[in-house]
Amino acid sequence: MRADARDNRARIMTAADDVFGRSPGASTDDVAKLAGVGIATVFRHFATKTELLEAVLTLRLERIRDRALELAGSDDPGTAFFEFFTQVVSESASKLAIAEALTAAGAAAGEEAREAGRGMREAFSGLLAAAQKTGAVRADAEMPEVYALLIGASRGATAAKLDPETRDRMLALIYDGLKPPR
Amino acid sequence: MRADARDNRARIMTAADDVFGRSPGASTDDVAKLAGVGIATVFRHFATKTELLEAVLTLRLERIRDRALELAGSDDPGTAFFEFFTQVVSESASKLAIAEALTAAGAAAGEEAREAGRGMREAFSGLLAAAQKTGAVRADAEMPEVYALLIGASRGATAAKLDPETRDRMLALIYDGLKPPR
DNA sequence: GTATAAACGGAGTGATGACTTCGAATATAT
DNA sequence: ATATATTCGAAGTCATCACTCCGTTTATAC
């Protein structure tokens, strides 16, 4: 691959991340304009709009997974778990917009993005298990409902455009429910 | 207004509620077909697609508010509060699809729908206050974050397509956080 | 420096969907 | 029963957007 091509590919992904993160309904033209390339260049690198969206979403998911893996090394698993939870919720807005764009623009996520999602959930599951082992999180909470809480808090914060204080108060309520009964 | 016109208007609203509740991206044609009328009839009753969506959303919100007002008469405010919360979350899927369609199809909700939303929140706020007075819900939880939880749980349940058991387990966690600290 | 293969941009193309037009149909008042 | 005002539906119009074509430009191998 020629150097300029690789360069453009990277610029397109960055632009797409930005544009779709802001408004899921954005057109491919918008992405091309922000990236400073022609629209044909976008389609040369990503055969369909869906493919582009998937690439962007996959990257996001991998970044989150990496963050979880990083925190998994912590010697305070309780704090690590809650910190990760909080971080994912705070950064959810743009991520969700992209996922939404994907579902809107035809069918569910493809294999690549699904695999990335699996990896992310696995890493999160590890954080949860560790936090439960130290007693920071109640032992009878299982992954499906805890994950549902993570998704719910993220979507809720995004949808309601919560200011940070309200968001933190909401998270505090959730965390109280996640802690072991006293 | 002629009888057949009023009839058609009602059929169109029912059809729209159904169609948009299922898939936010649906076209006006789809609504017309399900309603069994021509597309022009739809546009005669609702000048724009947005207007139609608003009418449907408003109706939904009013129904929810009525449910809350009904429960406000209960002599067990704690149960009433949690029952309402659970019910809203269970029925969220289609409601959210409509709200989503509205934001997708241009701009935020209009005055009518906003007013309906206000009424709904007010009724919910009443349920919360009553439940707090009897000690069923912790007193230091305030409306904004509790409402955020309601939205979040709804969106989370919808987005993750939770099966009923997982949804109930998630709600149980949330309710534990909402109950007074023991 | 030049040849050439690869990448580029912008002007199409076709499909979709919101909205309009207008002649046909139908409810109600007389 | 008939007049007429109102409502109806099907076939348009127009804009938007994903995607393609092709002549031009540019990076790199020699």
Side-chain angles (χ1 to χ4, degrees), chain B residues 47-84:
Chain B
T48 66
K49 186 185 189 182
T50 303
E51 208 173 285
L52 171 59
L53 282 166
E54 276 209 19
V56 173
L57 181 60
T58 300
L59 193 67
R60 289 261 185 166
L61 291 172
E62 284 171 353
R63 283 216 200 100
I64 297 174
R65 178 205 55 195
D66 292 346
R67 185 85 192 100
L69 292 177
E70 212 180 296
L71 282 166
S74 162
D75 52 353
D76 181 353
T79 306
F81 172 83
F82 288 115
E83 190 180 323
F84 177 77

Side-chain angles (χ1 to χ4, degrees), chain B residues 22-181:
Chain B
R22 250 197 278 286
S23 61
S27 73
T28 315
D29 267 332
D30 294 339
V31 174
K33 281 211 190 76
L34 182 62
V37 303
I39 192 177
T41 303
V42 175
F43 279 101
R44 199 167 310 105
H45 285 287
F46 304 92
T48 66
K49 186 185 189 182
T50 303
E51 208 173 285
L52 171 59
L53 282 166
E54 276 209 19
V56 173
L57 181 60
T58 300
L59 193 67
R60 289 261 185 166
L61 291 172
E62 284 171 353
R63 283 216 200 100
I64 297 174
R65 178 205 55 195
D66 292 346
R67 185 85 192 100
L69 292 177
E70 212 180 296
L71 282 166
S74 162
D75 52 353
D76 181 353
T79 306
F81 172 83
F82 288 115
E83 190 180 323
F84 177 77
F85 201 111
T86 305
Q87 226 171 78
V88 169
V89 173
S90 331
E91 290 165 13
S92 57
S94 48
K95 211 178 326 115
L96 282 174
I98 292 168
E100 203 168 293
L102 225 180
T103 42
E111 195 43 50
E112 207 186 24
R114 264 212 305 282
E115 169 61 27
R118 255 195 302 279
M120 193 266 265
R121 275 196 300 278
E122 232 164 76
F124 179 57
S125 176
L127 284 182
L128 172 62
Q132 287 177 316
K133 199 169 252 174
T134 67
V137 170
R138 57 195 298 167
D140 62 344
E142 276 164 49
M143 181 60 187
E145 59 261 28
V146 177
Y147 185 68
L149 266 184
L150 180 65
I151 302 294
S154 295
R155 293 194 95 97
T158 302
K161 292 208 187 74
L162 295 185
D163 52 299
E165 299 97 59
T166 307
R167 194 190 61 214
D168 289 344
R169 291 171 65 86
M170 176 188 78
L171 284 177
L173 285 176
I174 291 178
Y175 295 165
D176 252 31
L178 280 174
K179 281 171 193 153

